[in-house]
Amino acid sequence: MIKGGNKLNNLELCNDLIERALRMGAKDAEVFYVKSRTLGAVFEKNDLQVPKGDNYEGIGIRVHLGGTKGVRQGFAATNVLSSRSLHSTLATAIAIAQASPEDPYHWMPEPSAVESVSGIYDKTAEAIGLQDVVKQGALLVDTAHSFDPRVTLDSAQYAVEILEKTIVNSKGIRLQEKSSIFTCIGAGFARDGDEVSSFDAEIAIKCQQDEIDAAATGIRLAKKVISSLGATTVPSFKGDVIIAPSAALELVADPISFACDAQNIQSGRSKWANQLGSAVMSPLMSVTDDPRIPGAAGSTSFDREGVSPITLQVVDEGVLNHYLYNCYTARKDGLASNGRAAGQDYTIPTISTTNFIIAPGQHSLDDMIGMCSKGLLVNRFSGNVDRVSGDFSGVVKGGHYIKAGKVVCPVKEVMIAGNIYALLKQVVTVSKEHIDVEGARLPYIQIEGCSITGN
């Protein structure tokens, strides 16, 4: 058990499966168990759909069979937890391992010190009912409308999930953790006569109920879509682009995460292969992946393999310091895992970030706009980002034209394109404001010398 963890009732089941796997000839075995309860209310076109609650249980079983040049791995999963189904799932994992090639890099970790993360479970989640999530969802919708009747919500959702996860392996790992996730999502547009604004969305994800505010989410969405009414075209030009956090998730955070993934490094798909110790971004850019932020949605005391994840200063003032490893990729590079194994009960371990943070800068957003002679504020991006090459192109949504240090007007039919890995070296300002966006904490990022295509 982890220190301060919740004592759950599924360890005996997991232990039994481990023992069965060893009796069936496995050299090592791992069982990953997930149990969740979700309640949600969804609104479409401003109308409440049937609210629903879902309960889920699932188990993934991974086995290793010994060989002369490594081990053979097999994996199978089920969400039917009857004795018969579990036995069949285990037998399937064994059969898959028997038919798999030997690999010297497969291994399972031994126990190490694991400390629980505070604030990721809110006991009030247990008392929440369907009427509560409906009330909060309606509050989001009503607040957006009350802010301005021109606002229409295409969809809105308020949901709460209680998640229990357990991992047990034959090396002695026995870990459990309970967390709660409150999600509030609104998506819509504004209409003024025949004019329709850019479609936009607002998302809030928190572990604690009192940290999520449905009314504030509705107001933020309403402000976004109202501000894009009256959009006009602008001629093509070359200037600065200020990327808002909501756009930076896809344009900046995802490519960085991809480039630091050790599996992508080893397969030759990452632009940052063999770049440790090199400047890969502007010195104004620093990136941390921190699994231990109290109450943050990406926090966890152990990863998908039972390894305690450590806080990583992935990029420090533009210099790349770390890749993200699970056990397999770490052994391939002769290293220890840094605890970035990810995945569900129905998948083998992959790699992912935890709480991805781009460090704030020294200037406010207003300062950044004031210092911009000609540019574009990009609130949302709709297009394609090739994370392998870094090439991207797409349409700016909810964007605003900046000239002589002032926001002139919202824009439409404007495209941006380029290579994000090259542009990350052209960052000239990072805001001191930051916003939590789907497991990332991101500032506004200003990049100079961008080509902007208008009419």
Side-chain angles (χ1 to χ4, degrees), residues 74-332:
F75 176 82
T78 182
N79 60 2
V80 179
L81 303 193
S82 66
S83 179
R84 183 174 183 176
S85 175
L86 290 171
H87 178 78
S88 174
T89 303
L90 175 55
T92 299
I94 293 287
I96 291 173
Q98 289 171 338
S100 297
E102 295 181 12
D103 191 323
Y105 304 117
H106 284 312
W107 66 289
M108 293 182 187
E110 295 184 353
S112 59
V114 175
E115 294 288 327
S116 61
V117 182
S118 65
I120 62 173
Y121 180 62
D122 186 347
K123 288 185 178 181
T124 65
E126 297 176 8
I128 290 176
L130 286 174
Q131 68 276 15
D132 300 309
V133 295
V134 170
K135 180 180 178 180
Q136 291 299 312
L139 179 60
L140 187 158
V141 174
D142 293 344
T143 304
H145 284 307
S146 298
F147 181 84
D148 195 305
R150 294 174 293 176
V151 175
T152 295
L153 267 72
D154 187 70
S155 64
Q157 176 183 343
Y158 187 94
V160 56
E161 179 184 25
I162 297 174
L163 177 67
E164 302 173 8
K165 64 177 183 178
T166 300
I167 188 163
V168 175
N169 75 11
S170 54
K171 295 289 188 68
I173 284 178
R174 304 283 188 275
L175 296 170
Q176 299 175 285
E177 188 168 69
K178 198 170 186 177
S179 59
S180 55
I181 293 291
F182 295 83
T183 305
C184 190
I185 303 173
F189 56 91
R191 183 188 296 273
D192 191 352
D194 293 333
E195 184 184 358
V196 178
S197 77
S198 174
F199 187 88
D200 218 321
E202 187 68 28
I203 302 173
I205 302 173
K206 302 291 183 181
C207 291
Q208 298 289 319
Q209 184 182 21
D210 61 5
E211 292 183 4
I212 197 160
D213 189 332
T217 303
I219 290 173
R220 288 195 299 270
L221 175 61
K223 287 181 176 179
K224 278 184 177 181
V225 296
I226 290 297
S227 71
S228 65
L229 284 171
T232 185
T233 58
V234 293
S236 300
F237 68 95
K238 193 167 187 177
D240 289 4
V241 167
I242 299 176
I243 303 174
S246 51
L249 183 67
E250 181 180 3
L251 276 172
V252 179
D254 284 352
I256 292 174
S257 300
F258 180 90
C260 294
D261 184 318
Q263 187 172 349
N264 297 327
I265 297 290
Q266 293 168 357
S267 65
R269 301 178 69 217
S270 170
K271 279 278 192 181
W272 291 353
N274 303 312
Q275 293 295 303
L276 288 178
S278 300
V280 294
M281 292 191 281
S282 159
L284 297 175
M285 293 284 286
S286 293
V287 177
T288 302
D289 192 62
D290 188 352
R292 304 198 58 80
I293 300 175
S299 292
T300 184
S301 56
F302 57 90
D303 74 356
R304 171 62 178 80
E305 296 175 304
V307 176
S308 178
I310 60 176
T311 299
L312 298 175
Q313 181 76 64
V314 180
V315 177
D316 185 16
E317 296 183 350
V319 176
L320 180 63
N321 289 333
H322 296 282
Y323 297 138
L324 309 177
Y325 285 101
N326 60 10
C327 285
Y328 181 87
T329 55
R331 173 158 287 189
K332 211 168 187 179

Side-chain angles (χ1 to χ4, degrees), residues 331-398:
R331 173 158 287 189
K332 211 168 187 179
D333 279 357
L335 302 170
S337 170
N338 51 33
R340 283 342 186 253
Q344 306 297 325
D345 52 289
Y346 47 84
T347 66
I348 60 173
T350 56
I351 295 175
S352 180
T353 56
T354 58
N355 296 302
F356 180 96
I357 303 165
I358 295 180
Q362 302 297 317
H363 297 282
S364 68
L365 174 60
D366 287 342
D367 290 339
M368 293 167 69
I369 293 171
M371 293 184 291
C372 180
S373 59
K374 193 173 186 180
L376 195 68
L377 174 60
V378 179
N379 282 310
R380 197 164 66 87
F381 172 80
S382 178
N384 298 306
V385 182
D386 186 333
R387 296 179 298 175
V388 176
S389 67
D391 293 335
F392 70 90
S393 64
V395 179
V396 173
K397 300 289 186 178

